[in-house]
Amino acid sequence: MKLTTKGRYAVTAMLDLALNNDKGPVTLADIADRQGISLSYLEQLFSRLRKKQLVTSVRGPGGGYSLAGEPSEVHIAEVITAVDEKVDAMRCGGKSNCHNNERCLTHDLWRDLSNRIYDYLSDVTLQDLVERKGVPEMAANSDDPKVKLGNVRSTASDPLAVLNQ
Amino acid sequence: MKLTTKGRYAVTAMLDLALNNDKGPVTLADIADRQGISLSYLEQLFSRLRKKQLVTSVRGPGGGYSLAGEPSEVHIAEVITAVDEKVDAMRCGGKSNCHNNERCLTHDLWRDLSNRIYDYLSDVTLQDLVERKGVPEMAANSDDPKVKLGNVRSTASDPLAVLNQ
DNA sequence: CACAATCCCGACTAATTTAGTCAAGTATTT
DNA sequence: AAATACTTGACTAAATTAGTCGGGATTGTG
């Protein structure tokens, strides 16, 4: 699973589907219009979403795509992994080929971060987004006050975007 | 700030520096050797690390790079933002140009996730990695048990890598 | 001084990925 | 039949990452 605009497009499109779920199938042309995503690109994304059975399709006039399940059961992490190719983890992927100590240390770091991100995205469903219940609390790792955040953040010249693009 | 192998290279190299901090300046050739990173690529990365004053350099024979500060004061987030170009946030970056509702909803999601990742990486220092104290606890958002993780994760066909590459 | 080690810098190339286009289908409703 | 809309695959363009190359500038050592 990667975090790119590709995944964000997919989530946006799925959210569009969730919001119009009651009105029958939604055409990609509509989504392209509303969300400003190229129709052909959406076709690529939905091809994968369909293969992963996150959406169902109906052909012909009046057809389109619908969510395969309830919005409350579609987790964001699923959507993102559906459109992103598998990546063989992190170079020294789980294997014991990180022979020297240093690489293993950073490896642990990335893996833990990766797990956290995945957990976070697994915890949010389309329904959450629809209800703008938003996202779980910012979690503020207050249980480990070894570093007080905020000062560090203020050195970053900008409201940061960890995610690509 | 982006999360790519580029940043991981930088963190790995900085960790190498931290581990050899007592033995005087470390040459890039040594790091390239130990960490399997191309020398010229390291030069590019260290050029940025130096400009952000995360490392100091000594020229000439016996020269090399040293950490500018204590390992306990170098936060991983700083290292990553140093080597990665600024990215203007997330397309509808903070501005009010997300006119339609859907896009704003996902926007909130990405921003919150982005903040979390940044907080996490700000909380870990080189010293933490050196001591393998590792990373703060997995945090398990147990305060919001709306979804029990694990089942979702098991559908993912692989130990996932959220991070690119 | 000469020389080698080392940082420093900019331009260039290659590989990968994202994003998007195009064209030709197939299925279904009216 | 005809229009609608999904389906598929190949192709292109732009951006980014990763890496190369060639030349400098500095400085310690013999």
mmCIF file of all heavy atoms in Angstrom, chain C residues 9-25:
data_model
loop_
_atom_site.group_PDB
_atom_site.id
_atom_site.type_symbol
_atom_site.label_atom_id
_atom_site.label_comp_id
_atom_site.label_asym_id
_atom_site.label_seq_id
_atom_site.Cartn_x
_atom_site.Cartn_y
_atom_site.Cartn_z
ATOM 1 P P DC C 9 28.258 23.861 -2.265
ATOM 2 O OP1 DC C 9 28.383 25.316 -2.010
ATOM 3 O OP2 DC C 9 27.304 23.050 -1.500
ATOM 4 O "O5'" DC C 9 27.971 23.668 -3.815
ATOM 5 C "C5'" DC C 9 28.931 24.127 -4.759
ATOM 6 C "C4'" DC C 9 28.623 23.549 -6.106
ATOM 7 O "O4'" DC C 9 29.149 22.207 -6.207
ATOM 8 C "C3'" DC C 9 27.134 23.433 -6.437
ATOM 9 O "O3'" DC C 9 26.857 24.339 -7.478
ATOM 10 C "C2'" DC C 9 26.957 21.977 -6.875
ATOM 11 C "C1'" DC C 9 28.385 21.555 -7.186
ATOM 12 N N1 DC C 9 28.655 20.107 -7.063
ATOM 13 C C2 DC C 9 29.228 19.425 -8.136
ATOM 14 O O2 DC C 9 29.493 20.045 -9.171
ATOM 15 N N3 DC C 9 29.494 18.097 -8.006
ATOM 16 C C4 DC C 9 29.205 17.467 -6.864
ATOM 17 N N4 DC C 9 29.492 16.174 -6.784
ATOM 18 C C5 DC C 9 28.622 18.144 -5.764
ATOM 19 C C6 DC C 9 28.356 19.463 -5.895
ATOM 20 P P DG C 10 25.339 24.816 -7.725
ATOM 21 O OP1 DG C 10 25.253 26.282 -7.651
ATOM 22 O OP2 DG C 10 24.430 23.968 -6.936
ATOM 23 O "O5'" DG C 10 25.218 24.403 -9.258
ATOM 24 C "C5'" DG C 10 26.319 24.600 -10.135
ATOM 25 C "C4'" DG C 10 26.212 23.659 -11.294
ATOM 26 O "O4'" DG C 10 26.704 22.350 -10.905
ATOM 27 C "C3'" DG C 10 24.780 23.448 -11.788
ATOM 28 O "O3'" DG C 10 24.756 23.571 -13.195
ATOM 29 C "C2'" DG C 10 24.455 22.034 -11.334
ATOM 30 C "C1'" DG C 10 25.823 21.372 -11.397
ATOM 31 N N9 DG C 10 25.950 20.175 -10.574
ATOM 32 C C8 DG C 10 25.473 19.991 -9.301
ATOM 33 N N7 DG C 10 25.739 18.807 -8.818
ATOM 34 C C5 DG C 10 26.430 18.169 -9.830
ATOM 35 C C6 DG C 10 26.985 16.865 -9.891
ATOM 36 O O6 DG C 10 26.966 15.987 -9.035
ATOM 37 N N1 DG C 10 27.608 16.628 -11.112
ATOM 38 C C2 DG C 10 27.683 17.522 -12.136
ATOM 39 N N2 DG C 10 28.320 17.124 -13.226
ATOM 40 N N3 DG C 10 27.182 18.750 -12.101
ATOM 41 C C4 DG C 10 26.562 19.004 -10.914
ATOM 42 P P DA C 11 23.347 23.773 -13.935
ATOM 43 O OP1 DA C 11 23.259 25.133 -14.471
ATOM 44 O OP2 DA C 11 22.263 23.246 -13.088
ATOM 45 O "O5'" DA C 11 23.538 22.763 -15.155
ATOM 46 C "C5'" DA C 11 24.832 22.600 -15.731
ATOM 47 C "C4'" DA C 11 24.983 21.173 -16.219
ATOM 48 O "O4'" DA C 11 25.148 20.290 -15.083
ATOM 49 C "C3'" DA C 11 23.749 20.669 -16.987
ATOM 50 O "O3'" DA C 11 24.146 20.121 -18.223
ATOM 51 C "C2'" DA C 11 23.177 19.601 -16.064
ATOM 52 C "C1'" DA C 11 24.405 19.122 -15.319
ATOM 53 N N9 DA C 11 24.104 18.497 -14.028
ATOM 54 C C8 DA C 11 23.404 19.042 -12.990
ATOM 55 N N7 DA C 11 23.286 18.248 -11.955
ATOM 56 C C5 DA C 11 23.950 17.092 -12.346
ATOM 57 C C6 DA C 11 24.187 15.861 -11.705
ATOM 58 N N6 DA C 11 23.744 15.585 -10.471
ATOM 59 N N1 DA C 11 24.879 14.924 -12.371
ATOM 60 C C2 DA C 11 25.315 15.210 -13.609
ATOM 61 N N3 DA C 11 25.169 16.323 -14.321
ATOM 62 C C4 DA C 11 24.468 17.233 -13.623
ATOM 63 P P DC C 12 23.038 19.906 -19.357
ATOM 64 O OP1 DC C 12 23.592 20.418 -20.613
ATOM 65 O OP2 DC C 12 21.723 20.362 -18.865
ATOM 66 O "O5'" DC C 12 23.005 18.316 -19.447
ATOM 67 C "C5'" DC C 12 24.237 17.596 -19.526
ATOM 68 C "C4'" DC C 12 24.026 16.169 -19.038
ATOM 69 O "O4'" DC C 12 23.809 16.189 -17.621
ATOM 70 C "C3'" DC C 12 22.797 15.482 -19.636
ATOM 71 O "O3'" DC C 12 23.208 14.564 -20.641
ATOM 72 C "C2'" DC C 12 22.165 14.759 -18.452
ATOM 73 C "C1'" DC C 12 23.122 15.008 -17.298
ATOM 74 N N1 DC C 12 22.435 15.177 -15.982
ATOM 75 C C2 DC C 12 22.461 14.147 -15.050
ATOM 76 O O2 DC C 12 23.034 13.089 -15.353
ATOM 77 N N3 DC C 12 21.837 14.307 -13.860
ATOM 78 C C4 DC C 12 21.233 15.461 -13.578
ATOM 79 N N4 DC C 12 20.646 15.575 -12.398
ATOM 80 C C5 DC C 12 21.202 16.534 -14.513
ATOM 81 C C6 DC C 12 21.801 16.355 -15.692
ATOM 82 P P DT C 13 22.052 13.780 -21.478
ATOM 83 O OP1 DT C 13 22.681 13.378 -22.750
ATOM 84 O OP2 DT C 13 20.787 14.548 -21.469
ATOM 85 O "O5'" DT C 13 21.811 12.465 -20.616
ATOM 86 C "C5'" DT C 13 22.914 11.628 -20.294
ATOM 87 C "C4'" DT C 13 22.432 10.438 -19.485
ATOM 88 O "O4'" DT C 13 22.014 10.877 -18.173
ATOM 89 C "C3'" DT C 13 21.245 9.696 -20.091
ATOM 90 O "O3'" DT C 13 21.591 8.325 -20.193
ATOM 91 C "C2'" DT C 13 20.106 9.934 -19.103
ATOM 92 C "C1'" DT C 13 20.848 10.181 -17.808
ATOM 93 N N1 DT C 13 20.152 11.008 -16.788
ATOM 94 C C2 DT C 13 19.906 10.475 -15.551
ATOM 95 O O2 DT C 13 20.206 9.343 -15.236
ATOM 96 N N3 DT C 13 19.285 11.327 -14.676
ATOM 97 C C4 DT C 13 18.886 12.634 -14.915
ATOM 98 O O4 DT C 13 18.333 13.298 -14.037
ATOM 99 C C5 DT C 13 19.170 13.135 -16.239
ATOM 100 C C7 DT C 13 18.790 14.518 -16.592
ATOM 101 C C6 DT C 13 19.787 12.303 -17.097
ATOM 102 P P DA C 14 20.579 7.293 -20.883
ATOM 103 O OP1 DA C 14 21.395 6.275 -21.563
ATOM 104 O OP2 DA C 14 19.526 8.029 -21.608
ATOM 105 O "O5'" DA C 14 19.909 6.591 -19.622
ATOM 106 C "C5'" DA C 14 20.753 6.051 -18.617
ATOM 107 C "C4'" DA C 14 19.913 5.348 -17.573
ATOM 108 O "O4'" DA C 14 19.345 6.326 -16.669
ATOM 109 C "C3'" DA C 14 18.744 4.563 -18.156
ATOM 110 O "O3'" DA C 14 18.673 3.332 -17.459
ATOM 111 C "C2'" DA C 14 17.538 5.465 -17.892
ATOM 112 C "C1'" DA C 14 17.936 6.190 -16.617
ATOM 113 N N9 DA C 14 17.396 7.537 -16.452
ATOM 114 C C8 DA C 14 17.353 8.544 -17.379
ATOM 115 N N7 DA C 14 16.828 9.660 -16.928
ATOM 116 C C5 DA C 14 16.514 9.365 -15.614
ATOM 117 C C6 DA C 14 15.929 10.136 -14.585
ATOM 118 N N6 DA C 14 15.539 11.401 -14.728
ATOM 119 N N1 DA C 14 15.755 9.531 -13.394
ATOM 120 C C2 DA C 14 16.149 8.262 -13.250
ATOM 121 N N3 DA C 14 16.701 7.444 -14.134
ATOM 122 C C4 DA C 14 16.854 8.072 -15.308
ATOM 123 P P DA C 15 17.637 2.192 -17.908
ATOM 124 O OP1 DA C 15 18.344 0.893 -17.873
ATOM 125 O OP2 DA C 15 16.937 2.640 -19.133
ATOM 126 O "O5'" DA C 15 16.605 2.213 -16.710
ATOM 127 C "C5'" DA C 15 17.103 2.256 -15.382
ATOM 128 C "C4'" DA C 15 15.965 2.457 -14.413
ATOM 129 O "O4'" DA C 15 15.587 3.845 -14.368
ATOM 130 C "C3'" DA C 15 14.705 1.677 -14.783
ATOM 131 O "O3'" DA C 15 14.281 0.976 -13.625
ATOM 132 C "C2'" DA C 15 13.715 2.751 -15.227
ATOM 133 C "C1'" DA C 15 14.182 3.966 -14.447
ATOM 134 N N9 DA C 15 13.928 5.261 -15.076
ATOM 135 C C8 DA C 15 14.144 5.609 -16.380
ATOM 136 N N7 DA C 15 13.839 6.855 -16.656
ATOM 137 C C5 DA C 15 13.399 7.357 -15.445
ATOM 138 C C6 DA C 15 12.930 8.623 -15.067
ATOM 139 N N6 DA C 15 12.819 9.655 -15.901
ATOM 140 N N1 DA C 15 12.560 8.795 -13.786
ATOM 141 C C2 DA C 15 12.672 7.753 -12.937
ATOM 142 N N3 DA C 15 13.099 6.515 -13.175
ATOM 143 C C4 DA C 15 13.448 6.387 -14.472
ATOM 144 P P DT C 16 12.995 0.001 -13.683
ATOM 145 O OP1 DT C 16 13.294 -1.160 -12.836
ATOM 146 O OP2 DT C 16 12.581 -0.178 -15.099
ATOM 147 O "O5'" DT C 16 11.882 0.858 -12.939
ATOM 148 C "C5'" DT C 16 12.236 1.551 -11.745
ATOM 149 C "C4'" DT C 16 11.154 2.518 -11.359
ATOM 150 O "O4'" DT C 16 11.213 3.684 -12.212
ATOM 151 C "C3'" DT C 16 9.738 1.956 -11.516
ATOM 152 O "O3'" DT C 16 9.160 1.905 -10.223
ATOM 153 C "C2'" DT C 16 9.033 2.955 -12.439
ATOM 154 C "C1'" DT C 16 9.905 4.189 -12.337
ATOM 155 N N1 DT C 16 9.914 5.082 -13.517
ATOM 156 C C2 DT C 16 9.596 6.406 -13.347
ATOM 157 O O2 DT C 16 9.280 6.883 -12.272
ATOM 158 N N3 DT C 16 9.653 7.158 -14.490
ATOM 159 C C4 DT C 16 10.004 6.729 -15.753
ATOM 160 O O4 DT C 16 10.021 7.501 -16.705
ATOM 161 C C5 DT C 16 10.326 5.331 -15.861
ATOM 162 C C7 DT C 16 10.711 4.759 -17.180
ATOM 163 C C6 DT C 16 10.274 4.586 -14.745
ATOM 164 P P DT C 17 7.708 1.266 -10.014
ATOM 165 O OP1 DT C 17 7.690 0.673 -8.674
ATOM 166 O OP2 DT C 17 7.350 0.449 -11.197
ATOM 167 O "O5'" DT C 17 6.780 2.557 -9.996
ATOM 168 C "C5'" DT C 17 7.186 3.664 -9.207
ATOM 169 C "C4'" DT C 17 6.278 4.836 -9.467
ATOM 170 O "O4'" DT C 17 6.634 5.474 -10.702
ATOM 171 C "C3'" DT C 17 4.792 4.445 -9.597
ATOM 172 O "O3'" DT C 17 4.066 5.204 -8.665
ATOM 173 C "C2'" DT C 17 4.446 4.784 -11.043
ATOM 174 C "C1'" DT C 17 5.455 5.877 -11.362
ATOM 175 N N1 DT C 17 5.807 6.031 -12.796
ATOM 176 C C2 DT C 17 5.788 7.285 -13.352
ATOM 177 O O2 DT C 17 5.492 8.291 -12.725
ATOM 178 N N3 DT C 17 6.133 7.343 -14.677
ATOM 179 C C4 DT C 17 6.496 6.275 -15.477
ATOM 180 O O4 DT C 17 6.789 6.449 -16.654
ATOM 181 C C5 DT C 17 6.494 4.982 -14.835
ATOM 182 C C7 DT C 17 6.869 3.765 -15.617
ATOM 183 C C6 DT C 17 6.154 4.929 -13.541
ATOM 184 P P DT C 18 2.495 4.962 -8.473
ATOM 185 O OP1 DT C 18 2.225 4.969 -7.039
ATOM 186 O OP2 DT C 18 2.035 3.841 -9.313
ATOM 187 O "O5'" DT C 18 1.910 6.310 -9.085
ATOM 188 C "C5'" DT C 18 2.535 7.527 -8.712
ATOM 189 C "C4'" DT C 18 2.078 8.643 -9.616
ATOM 190 O "O4'" DT C 18 2.601 8.454 -10.940
ATOM 191 C "C3'" DT C 18 0.555 8.760 -9.752
ATOM 192 O "O3'" DT C 18 0.212 10.103 -9.483
ATOM 193 C "C2'" DT C 18 0.293 8.353 -11.204
ATOM 194 C "C1'" DT C 18 1.596 8.722 -11.896
ATOM 195 N N1 DT C 18 1.963 7.950 -13.111
ATOM 196 C C2 DT C 18 2.281 8.633 -14.256
ATOM 197 O O2 DT C 18 2.255 9.840 -14.336
ATOM 198 N N3 DT C 18 2.643 7.834 -15.322
ATOM 199 C C4 DT C 18 2.725 6.460 -15.342
ATOM 200 O O4 DT C 18 3.064 5.853 -16.360
ATOM 201 C C5 DT C 18 2.374 5.805 -14.106
ATOM 202 C C7 DT C 18 2.429 4.317 -14.027
ATOM 203 C C6 DT C 18 2.020 6.575 -13.065
ATOM 204 P P DA C 19 -1.338 10.465 -9.312
ATOM 205 O OP1 DA C 19 -1.403 11.689 -8.491
ATOM 206 O OP2 DA C 19 -2.089 9.272 -8.905
ATOM 207 O "O5'" DA C 19 -1.753 10.862 -10.787
ATOM 208 C "C5'" DA C 19 -1.064 11.945 -11.400
ATOM 209 C "C4'" DA C 19 -1.421 12.015 -12.858
ATOM 210 O "O4'" DA C 19 -0.846 10.897 -13.556
ATOM 211 C "C3'" DA C 19 -2.928 11.941 -13.136
ATOM 212 O "O3'" DA C 19 -3.319 13.208 -13.624
ATOM 213 C "C2'" DA C 19 -3.068 10.828 -14.182
ATOM 214 C "C1'" DA C 19 -1.653 10.639 -14.684
ATOM 215 N N9 DA C 19 -1.309 9.304 -15.140
ATOM 216 C C8 DA C 19 -1.414 8.122 -14.450
ATOM 217 N N7 DA C 19 -1.005 7.071 -15.125
ATOM 218 C C5 DA C 19 -0.619 7.599 -16.345
ATOM 219 C C6 DA C 19 -0.093 7.011 -17.509
ATOM 220 N N6 DA C 19 0.135 5.694 -17.629
ATOM 221 N N1 DA C 19 0.195 7.836 -18.560
ATOM 222 C C2 DA C 19 -0.028 9.142 -18.428
ATOM 223 N N3 DA C 19 -0.518 9.813 -17.384
ATOM 224 C C4 DA C 19 -0.793 8.972 -16.368
ATOM 225 P P DG C 20 -4.839 13.471 -13.958
ATOM 226 O OP1 DG C 20 -5.051 14.928 -13.896
ATOM 227 O OP2 DG C 20 -5.659 12.566 -13.156
ATOM 228 O "O5'" DG C 20 -4.930 13.063 -15.493
ATOM 229 C "C5'" DG C 20 -3.999 13.647 -16.389
ATOM 230 C "C4'" DG C 20 -4.042 12.882 -17.690
ATOM 231 O "O4'" DG C 20 -3.525 11.559 -17.511
ATOM 232 C "C3'" DG C 20 -5.440 12.695 -18.276
ATOM 233 O "O3'" DG C 20 -5.569 13.542 -19.389
ATOM 234 C "C2'" DG C 20 -5.484 11.218 -18.655
ATOM 235 C "C1'" DG C 20 -4.028 10.818 -18.595
ATOM 236 N N9 DG C 20 -3.825 9.394 -18.352
ATOM 237 C C8 DG C 20 -4.092 8.679 -17.214
ATOM 238 N N7 DG C 20 -3.792 7.416 -17.319
ATOM 239 C C5 DG C 20 -3.299 7.287 -18.602
ATOM 240 C C6 DG C 20 -2.808 6.148 -19.291
ATOM 241 O O6 DG C 20 -2.719 4.989 -18.895
ATOM 242 N N1 DG C 20 -2.401 6.473 -20.585
ATOM 243 C C2 DG C 20 -2.455 7.727 -21.131
ATOM 244 N N2 DG C 20 -2.016 7.846 -22.393
ATOM 245 N N3 DG C 20 -2.898 8.797 -20.508
ATOM 246 C C4 DG C 20 -3.306 8.504 -19.254
ATOM 247 P P DT C 21 -6.920 13.467 -20.263
ATOM 248 O OP1 DT C 21 -7.134 14.824 -20.778
ATOM 249 O OP2 DT C 21 -7.970 12.746 -19.532
ATOM 250 O "O5'" DT C 21 -6.437 12.553 -21.486
ATOM 251 C "C5'" DT C 21 -5.175 12.795 -22.072
ATOM 252 C "C4'" DT C 21 -4.988 11.896 -23.280
ATOM 253 O "O4'" DT C 21 -4.680 10.549 -22.849
ATOM 254 C "C3'" DT C 21 -6.219 11.790 -24.187
ATOM 255 O "O3'" DT C 21 -5.788 12.069 -25.507
ATOM 256 C "C2'" DT C 21 -6.690 10.351 -24.003
ATOM 257 C "C1'" DT C 21 -5.411 9.630 -23.619
ATOM 258 N N1 DT C 21 -5.584 8.425 -22.764
ATOM 259 C C2 DT C 21 -5.192 7.204 -23.243
ATOM 260 O O2 DT C 21 -4.726 7.037 -24.353
ATOM 261 N N3 DT C 21 -5.377 6.160 -22.358
ATOM 262 C C4 DT C 21 -5.889 6.225 -21.074
ATOM 263 O O4 DT C 21 -6.004 5.227 -20.381
ATOM 264 C C5 DT C 21 -6.284 7.540 -20.641
ATOM 265 C C7 DT C 21 -6.855 7.736 -19.281
ATOM 266 C C6 DT C 21 -6.113 8.563 -21.501
ATOM 267 P P DC C 22 -6.899 12.300 -26.658
ATOM 268 O OP1 DC C 22 -6.278 13.190 -27.651
ATOM 269 O OP2 DC C 22 -8.196 12.643 -26.051
ATOM 270 O "O5'" DC C 22 -6.997 10.847 -27.305
ATOM 271 C "C5'" DC C 22 -5.798 10.120 -27.473
ATOM 272 C "C4'" DC C 22 -6.083 8.753 -28.056
ATOM 273 O "O4'" DC C 22 -6.151 7.770 -27.008
ATOM 274 C "C3'" DC C 22 -7.381 8.643 -28.861
ATOM 275 O "O3'" DC C 22 -7.061 8.118 -30.122
ATOM 276 C "C2'" DC C 22 -8.250 7.700 -28.021
ATOM 277 C "C1'" DC C 22 -7.208 6.886 -27.269
ATOM 278 N N1 DC C 22 -7.645 6.347 -25.953
ATOM 279 C C2 DC C 22 -7.404 5.007 -25.627
ATOM 280 O O2 DC C 22 -6.837 4.288 -26.455
ATOM 281 N N3 DC C 22 -7.797 4.535 -24.426
ATOM 282 C C4 DC C 22 -8.397 5.356 -23.557
ATOM 283 N N4 DC C 22 -8.756 4.847 -22.379
ATOM 284 C C5 DC C 22 -8.654 6.727 -23.861
ATOM 285 C C6 DC C 22 -8.269 7.183 -25.066
ATOM 286 P P DA C 23 -8.194 8.127 -31.264
ATOM 287 O OP1 DA C 23 -7.550 8.606 -32.494
ATOM 288 O OP2 DA C 23 -9.431 8.756 -30.774
ATOM 289 O "O5'" DA C 23 -8.450 6.557 -31.415
ATOM 290 C "C5'" DA C 23 -7.379 5.664 -31.171
ATOM 291 C "C4'" DA C 23 -7.914 4.243 -31.072
ATOM 292 O "O4'" DA C 23 -8.192 3.917 -29.690
ATOM 293 C "C3'" DA C 23 -9.222 4.024 -31.829
ATOM 294 O "O3'" DA C 23 -9.181 2.757 -32.445
ATOM 295 C "C2'" DA C 23 -10.269 4.072 -30.719
ATOM 296 C "C1'" DA C 23 -9.494 3.383 -29.607
ATOM 297 N N9 DA C 23 -10.006 3.632 -28.273
ATOM 298 C C8 DA C 23 -10.551 4.774 -27.781
ATOM 299 N N7 DA C 23 -10.928 4.700 -26.525
ATOM 300 C C5 DA C 23 -10.613 3.409 -26.173
ATOM 301 C C6 DA C 23 -10.760 2.689 -24.971
ATOM 302 N N6 DA C 23 -11.290 3.205 -23.872
ATOM 303 N N1 DA C 23 -10.338 1.408 -24.960
ATOM 304 C C2 DA C 23 -9.805 0.891 -26.081
ATOM 305 N N3 DA C 23 -9.604 1.461 -27.251
ATOM 306 C C4 DA C 23 -10.043 2.735 -27.231
ATOM 307 P P DA C 24 -10.198 2.476 -33.685
ATOM 308 O OP1 DA C 24 -9.391 2.316 -34.906
ATOM 309 O OP2 DA C 24 -11.327 3.425 -33.648
ATOM 310 O "O5'" DA C 24 -10.747 1.039 -33.272
ATOM 311 C "C5'" DA C 24 -9.829 0.071 -32.770
ATOM 312 C "C4'" DA C 24 -10.503 -0.745 -31.713
ATOM 313 O "O4'" DA C 24 -10.821 0.102 -30.577
ATOM 314 C "C3'" DA C 24 -11.844 -1.359 -32.152
ATOM 315 O "O3'" DA C 24 -11.742 -2.769 -32.138
ATOM 316 C "C2'" DA C 24 -12.839 -0.850 -31.116
ATOM 317 C "C1'" DA C 24 -11.931 -0.465 -29.956
ATOM 318 N N9 DA C 24 -12.530 0.492 -29.034
ATOM 319 C C8 DA C 24 -12.935 1.770 -29.278
ATOM 320 N N7 DA C 24 -13.449 2.380 -28.235
ATOM 321 C C5 DA C 24 -13.379 1.428 -27.235
ATOM 322 C C6 DA C 24 -13.769 1.446 -25.881
ATOM 323 N N6 DA C 24 -14.327 2.496 -25.292
ATOM 324 N N1 DA C 24 -13.550 0.334 -25.159
ATOM 325 C C2 DA C 24 -12.980 -0.723 -25.752
ATOM 326 N N3 DA C 24 -12.572 -0.863 -27.022
ATOM 327 C C4 DA C 24 -12.802 0.261 -27.711
ATOM 328 P P DG C 25 -12.888 -3.619 -32.862
ATOM 329 O OP1 DG C 25 -12.494 -5.046 -32.758
ATOM 330 O OP2 DG C 25 -13.121 -2.993 -34.147
ATOM 331 O "O5'" DG C 25 -14.218 -3.405 -31.979
ATOM 332 C "C5'" DG C 25 -14.856 -4.526 -31.431
ATOM 333 C "C4'" DG C 25 -14.502 -4.673 -29.951
ATOM 334 O "O4'" DG C 25 -14.317 -3.352 -29.418
ATOM 335 C "C3'" DG C 25 -15.587 -5.317 -29.121
ATOM 336 O "O3'" DG C 25 -15.347 -6.698 -29.019
ATOM 337 C "C2'" DG C 25 -15.474 -4.625 -27.761
ATOM 338 C "C1'" DG C 25 -14.684 -3.346 -28.056
ATOM 339 N N9 DG C 25 -15.416 -2.107 -27.790
ATOM 340 C C8 DG C 25 -15.588 -1.062 -28.664
ATOM 341 N N7 DG C 25 -16.252 -0.048 -28.142
ATOM 342 C C5 DG C 25 -16.519 -0.463 -26.844
ATOM 343 C C6 DG C 25 -17.203 0.206 -25.792
ATOM 344 O O6 DG C 25 -17.721 1.323 -25.818
ATOM 345 N N1 DG C 25 -17.253 -0.578 -24.641
ATOM 346 C C2 DG C 25 -16.708 -1.832 -24.516
ATOM 347 N N2 DG C 25 -16.857 -2.423 -23.346
ATOM 348 N N3 DG C 25 -16.061 -2.448 -25.478
ATOM 349 C C4 DG C 25 -16.012 -1.718 -26.609
#
